Amino acid sequence: DATGEMIELFSDLYIMYPFEEEKYGHCLTELGGGMEHQTMSTMGNFGFGLVAHELGHMWFGDNVTCATWSDIYINEGWATYTDYLANEHIQGYAAAQNWLAARHSHVKSAPGGSIYVPEEELGNVWRIFDGRLSYSKGAIFNHMLRWEINNDDLFYEACHDFQEQYTDSSATGMDLKEVFEDVTGMDFTDFFDQWYFGEGYPIYDITWNQDNDSLYLTSTQTTSTSVTTLFKMTVPVYVEFEDGSDTTYRIYQDQNLQNFAIAIDQPVDEIEIDPEQWILHHLNSLLVVLEE
């Protein structure tokens, strides 16, 4: 019953349903999951996430198709993220956070692997359609891209422009990078090198203390593999003050060991790193350094 609402939502976020002059239907059969086909997805059940994912393929997979098997992310990473967007906008905040937690856990169940499928692995269909990398990590990659942009209007404008520019055509991950750079004016070279072509995720050990009107943090970043040894990225630091107020600060770490100073005007009660799950990471330690 939510399919119509999903079509309206994705038409608002991306572009109008690409096959509006035809139809969208479901073919129910004995199948473990689903298989999208243009305008008619074959479904083993009508679970919310499955319906959202296969419907998402009408934009990412059918309207715009991956140009190479190495860029299967264009199909599967985006269809998976479209499932997330359905949770965020229709099911609500709690459902969206549960979705993110499950996907983060899935990606971190192994230390390595890239979203981009290397040429030497293209002979293995299970590597191309790797649920952890092409699907889950691809979706989290999009969520982190959205976090880095920090402007949903621009993020969805880039989604719209990508769909319009490559309608009835095919595209690579680098084509998508170019569109997002054109719309936002940002350079995503490091981001794609680290997250699309690179492997693993960052691991943080963070200490902090307050001194009068400043919050000082020292962040040590290691990584889960030896392939990508540094992730240059914006880290969300959630600060709760003693008066009950709270603020999320954005710190950009581009070194493995880095010190930060944040201006504050009241006593800090506690801090958290990325409680809303914007970035893929492992927090190894978060310690307050007490004054002697």
Side-chain angles (χ1 to χ4, degrees):
D1 289 346
T3 305
E5 187 175 1
M6 290 180 189
I7 292 175
E8 292 180 351
L9 172 65
F10 305 154
S11 294
D12 288 340
L13 297 181
Y14 301 149
I15 61 172
M16 176 62 72
Y17 173 63
F19 314 106
E20 59 175 313
E21 295 183 1
E22 300 177 57
K23 63 178 182 303
Y24 181 69
H26 289 143
C27 170
L28 185 64
T29 189
E30 294 183 3
L31 185 70
M35 177 63 207
E36 59 86 16
H37 303 94
Q38 184 172 301
T39 75
M40 179 66 73
S41 294
T42 303
M43 311 292 286
N45 63 77
F46 293 135
F48 184 91
L50 181 61
V51 170
H53 179 103
E54 304 305 344
L55 174 58
H57 275 307
M58 299 304 109
W59 287 265
F60 291 94
D62 292 336
N63 188 53
V64 183
T65 305
C66 61
T68 74
W69 286 120
S70 292
D71 295 287
I72 189 65
Y73 147 83
I74 294 293
N75 292 28
E76 299 301 349
W78 275 96
T80 305
Y81 193 60
T82 303
D83 171 17
Y84 167 77
L85 293 175
N87 275 272
E88 177 185 345
H89 290 271
I90 298 175
Q91 300 284 66
Y93 179 80
Q97 288 298 300
N98 288 338
W99 192 100
L100 287 171
R103 296 291 175 169
H104 279 249
S105 178
H106 187 204
V107 175
K108 293 189 290 183
S109 63
S114 60
I115 297 171
Y116 180 82
V117 183
E119 185 175 352
E120 62 270 18
E121 297 186 63
L122 291 177
N124 180 1
V125 66
W126 298 111
R127 172 60 181 92
I128 296 172
F129 292 96
D130 187 306
R132 185 176 71 88
L133 299 173
S134 300
Y135 292 65
S136 292
K137 193 173 184 181
I140 297 301
F141 173 86
N142 292 337
H143 200 55
M144 291 191 293
L145 182 61
R146 181 178 164 190
W147 163 254
E148 289 290 336
I149 294 171
N150 194 31
N151 183 320
D152 273 359
D153 288 342
L154 285 180
F155 176 79
Y156 291 118
E157 180 183 341
C159 293
H160 178 277
D161 284 9
F162 177 74
Q163 284 290 318
E164 285 216 324
Q165 185 170 335
Y166 290 97
T167 284
D168 294 334
S169 184
S170 60
T172 66
M174 296 306 285
D175 291 328
L176 182 134
K177 170 181 177 289
E178 183 177 351
V179 172
F180 272 71
E181 289 180 335
D182 288 345
V183 170
T184 64
M186 300 172 68
D187 183 351
F188 293 114
T189 300
D190 286 339
F191 188 83
F192 272 72
D193 285 347
Q194 294 156 184
W195 288 109
Y196 191 61
F197 299 106
E199 297 188 29
Y201 52 87
I203 301 169
Y204 293 103
D205 288 276
I206 296 175
T207 60
W208 67 276
N209 69 285
Q210 179 178 2
D211 185 6
N212 296 321
D213 58 355
S214 294
L215 173 64
Y216 295 99
L217 295 95
T218 298
S219 178
T220 302
Q221 184 197 119
T222 54
T223 63
S224 64
T225 76
S226 60
V227 177
T228 305
T229 57
L230 174 64
F231 290 88
K232 301 176 183 179
M233 58 190 299
T234 305
V235 180
V237 178
Y238 171 83
V239 179
E240 185 172 323
F241 297 101
E242 288 186 355
D243 69 355
S245 62
D246 58 75
T247 303
T248 297
Y249 297 94
R250 300 168 60 92
I251 61 172
Y252 184 77
Q253 184 165 353
D254 58 5
Q255 303 172 41
N256 289 105
L257 175 62
Q258 199 160 352
N259 297 311
F260 299 93
I262 301 173
I264 55 176
D265 58 3
Q266 55 184 308
V268 174
D269 186 28
E270 64 176 338
I271 73 171
E272 295 181 62
I273 304 300
D274 190 29
E276 295 192 322
Q277 306 179 91
W278 279 104
I279 64 172
L280 180 66
H281 74 287
H282 172 69
L283 181 61
N284 190 54
S285 65
L286 176 61
L287 302 171
V288 58
V289 179
L290 300 176
E291 296 181 4
E292 297 183 357

